[in-house]
Amino acid sequence: MSSLQPVRGTHDLMGEDARRHRHIVETFREVAELYAFREIATPIFEFTDVFERTLGDTSDVVTKEMYTFVDRGGEQLTLRPEMTAGVARAFISNGLAQDLPIKFFGHGPMFRYERPQKGRMRQFHQIDAEILGVPEPQADIEVIALAHHVLSALGLGDKITLELNSLGDVESRLAYRARLIDYFSAHRAALSEDSRMRLERNPLRILDSKAAEDRPIVEAAPAIAESFNAASREFFDAVRRGLDALGIGYAVNPRLVRGLDYYSHTAFEFTTTHIGAQGTVLGGGRYDGLIETMGGPATAGIGWAAGIERLALMVTPPPESRDLIAVVPVGDDPAVQAAALALANRLRRAGHAVDQGYRGNVGKRMKRADKLGASRALILGESELAAGIVQLRDLATGEQRSLPLDAVEAAFA
RNA sequence: GCGGGUGUAGCUCAGUUGGUUAGAGCGCUAGGUUGUGGCUCUAGAGGUCGCCGGUUCGAUCCCGGUCACUCGCCCCA
């Protein structure tokens, strides 16, 4: 084993793994364009402040998972742990409030200092979709429909379920939070150690605790819907009616909460039981207060992100398909070498994939052509060159015939 | 950050109750075929047995630590 190891939690992508990633990103791009989303690519690092201000100063991501460093100019920078904050920052930086509503999709690497596990890397990749400037539930519906469409286009329709909840608007959520603190404080002694911690920092998180001792207490906890005001209730109902109209099945999970602080109203996750402990494959929600928090104009927002590595664990990648032609020069006569080079160049310019081996006799080069999966070989030696022809060999059938050198493109058209 | 499992060739894995030259299959290289791939036959290269330390006459094997991977917790996509 080499002493040159990759950084913990990072991974080299090659061969089939690379194809899986590309398949996911390309499928996402195709579907997102059907929904009239436009691509955005923001920097993979931002001023640390961009994330600290938006993700909440009690969230695990901010308090212990960020890759933060000081650059040579003395700036505090952070490798992005998620995409939404960067998109929101770009929205403000570029004055996009003029163009509302706006729909963005993007993808790329994210970084979190976590203990690596199946489907959990320190550098991981997400696909991401955001709608800005639409306070109506139509945006929630569209964004969930897009997620659902992407997952089914990836062939995962029967492996995932949609869980849905509403956190209510800010007023409702604060009211609920207060009720929860009252309730859980009364049961404080019986709670797990983790949950006692959560009581201080993020009481909503106790709701999705897996600790056995928490479960009966959580079961009897007040439901969030009881704290909804009329507007919150109507908003959630509208989202559900929209999903029903689209025939998108979901399960309301009143204990579904989001880890980052900027969410309100709709929260949703697509989950699976197929990839071990990491059940969430795609998660998102509404973040109406985020852009204002960052110093921009009050702007509604909703979006989601999905982990490409997690999707890749479930996806069947399309087979590698390419029609490759091998150009095989015979011998080391300079005129032959030059003619082979020119032939390969002509074919590439005409849009054909061509491999020309760098060395070896005909046997070696044919072997390489076979290994690369070439469908045909063009064999060119001194006698062919003198006659102005080339041998065309079909590598699947073994049939071989000669062809005028200047008729090759026509034969492949 | 916490708990369990695993580290032997490029890959998948044997093996040594502690003993001198650590194996297989696949892959790779070369040759049988100096102008023809797949199949086949032959030969070869490739390992500080993850790393550091301890016990021992002797450690890849036992013990401790460490690093990495992995499963779960936490968290999240």
Side-chain angles (χ1 to χ4, degrees), chain A residues 366 377 379 384 390-394 397-402:
Chain A
M366 290 298 287
I379 301 153
E384 283 82 6
V390 64
Q391 302 289 339
L392 168 62
R393 183 177 183 86
D394 184 310
T397 65
E399 280 172 52
Q400 188 165 319
R401 67 193 166 95
S402 56

Side-chain angles (χ1 to χ4, degrees), chain A residues 178-199:
Chain A
R179 282 191 70 179
L180 272 187
I181 291 175
D182 283 350
Y183 171 78
F184 284 125
S185 297
H187 297 272
R188 184 184 174 82
L191 286 172
S192 67
E193 194 186 325
D194 282 341
S195 286
R196 263 175 281 161
M197 207 97 82
R198 286 187 274 239
L199 188 50

Side-chain angles (χ1 to χ4, degrees), chain A residues 362-382:
Chain A
V362 183
K364 290 278 173 305
R365 291 171 187 263
M366 290 298 287
K367 207 166 187 165
R368 174 179 169 83
D370 186 62
K371 203 163 83 175
L372 289 175
S375 58
R376 290 163 292 195
L378 287 169
I379 301 153
L380 181 62
E382 284 179 60

